Amino acid sequence: MAIFEQDDSGHWTGSEQAQGPFTGLQGGGVASVMVAEIENIATQQSMGVAMSVSVEFLRPTPLMPLKTNPKILRRGRRSSVLTNEVWADGKQTASATVCVIHPVGELAISAKTPSEIDVGKIDPLPTRAAPHGRPWLMDNFEIRPGADGIIWFRQKDEITPDATPLASVLGPADWTHGLARPSEPKLADPNINLQVALARHPRGEHIGIRPKTTWMPEGIGLGEGALFDEHGEIGRVAMSAVLIPFA
């Protein structure tokens, strides 16, 4: 079973493990649902490959049946733009804008070939419990500390059935700001958006993040990081975040 399943009416429902550390579902899971639908549309209509996404979290998404609304904003010869929305109980909770690129074929560009990393040889860290004491999306990941400040994620179960390439990156990427957050345990650090851009799709089951965060005294923060698979760097992630007293 995937973390999110779609019923015959088109509604998505997450398991208890889809929850985040705060109120509602984990943003990375909600983003994965929206993007997976868009990637499937792009594949079905031979539009190209989804390589970047900008997600806005408008309000917490509750654990209940969710309605989505995928649309093609622009269809072009080289690139297309598609959007999706999540609605719960008559209120929109999130939106996503995805850029789909139609490859032109092999070009005479030399790409650096990095040494491959065998992440499976690294011992995983102990699973961290959610602050609210209930299941959460972090339970679905094996997390390993690697070299050069890279934290590696492996999903035990797919977030959506037949997980698509860009969507599979969003679950781990949504934790970037939390990997390098202030150590004050009384502060929560929700991100209000999520932006991911890939140079290529990941290969293999491990996604690595080299995180960096910048925090201002007013509690405003920027999370960012380089994204990797076991064959090298694949893209970037960024998000705006805010520190608030933990309820």
Side-chain angles (χ1 to χ4, degrees):
M1 294 288 289
I3 302 297
F4 286 87
E5 295 284 347
Q6 191 174 29
D7 62 24
D8 294 338
S9 67
H11 287 78
W12 291 88
T13 301
S15 67
E16 283 195 339
Q17 204 174 57
Q19 296 177 105
F22 315 118
T23 302
L25 304 179
Q26 174 68 28
V30 175
S32 295
V33 168
M34 292 188 288
V35 173
E37 284 194 328
I38 288 175
E39 288 189 273
N40 285 326
I41 291 172
T43 298
Q44 292 163 8
Q45 299 197 23
S46 301
M47 300 174 70
V49 291
M51 299 304 294
S52 67
V53 59
S54 178
V55 179
E56 303 294 332
F57 300 116
L58 308 180
R59 55 173 54 88
T61 301
L63 181 58
M64 63 181 300
L66 307 174
K67 181 66 177 175
T68 54
N69 185 28
K71 295 179 181 178
I72 300 174
L73 271 190
R74 174 188 178 273
R75 181 165 187 157
R77 213 162 51 89
R78 290 299 179 212
S79 65
S80 302
V81 179
L82 296 87
T83 64
N84 204 349
E85 302 167 347
V86 166
W87 291 74
D89 196 25
K91 297 178 180 178
Q92 186 181 349
T93 66
S95 65
T97 302
V98 176
C99 181
V100 175
I101 298 173
H102 203 290
V104 297
E106 294 291 333
L107 300 176
I109 298 176
S110 59
K112 181 181 178 181
T113 304
S115 57
E116 296 186 2
I117 304 167
D118 190 351
V119 179
K121 292 184 177 180
I122 305 171
D123 292 331
L125 296 171
T127 303
R128 184 161 61 94
H132 47 61
R134 300 185 300 274
W136 64 331
L137 195 59
M138 186 64 85
D139 296 334
N140 189 48
F141 293 107
E142 287 180 355
I143 301 176
R144 292 174 166 85
D148 299 325
I150 301 176
I151 308 298
W152 292 96
F153 288 74
R154 187 186 76 83
Q155 295 182 160
K156 302 173 187 176
D157 297 312
E158 294 179 344
I159 294 183
T160 61
D162 303 319
T164 50
L166 178 57
S168 68
V169 176
L170 301 184
D174 192 49
W175 297 100
T176 300
H177 65 298
L179 299 176
R181 56 154 287 162
S183 60
E184 173 54 63
K186 296 181 180 180
L187 295 175
D189 58 344
N191 56 306
I192 60 175
N193 57 20
L194 175 63
Q195 298 177 328
V196 170
L198 300 182
R200 63 170 174 83
H201 283 166
R203 302 194 298 270
E205 58 182 359
H206 292 96
I207 299 296
I209 304 170
R210 182 187 289 141
K212 175 186 175 183
T213 54
T214 303
W215 296 100
M216 298 294 103
E218 300 86 353
I220 298 172
L222 169 67
E224 56 183 313
L227 299 171
F228 299 82
D229 64 10
E230 294 182 75
H231 305 279
E233 189 171 335
I234 61 172
R236 288 288 192 277
V237 55
M239 68 266 284
S240 298
V242 59
L243 294 175
I244 58 175
F246 202 98

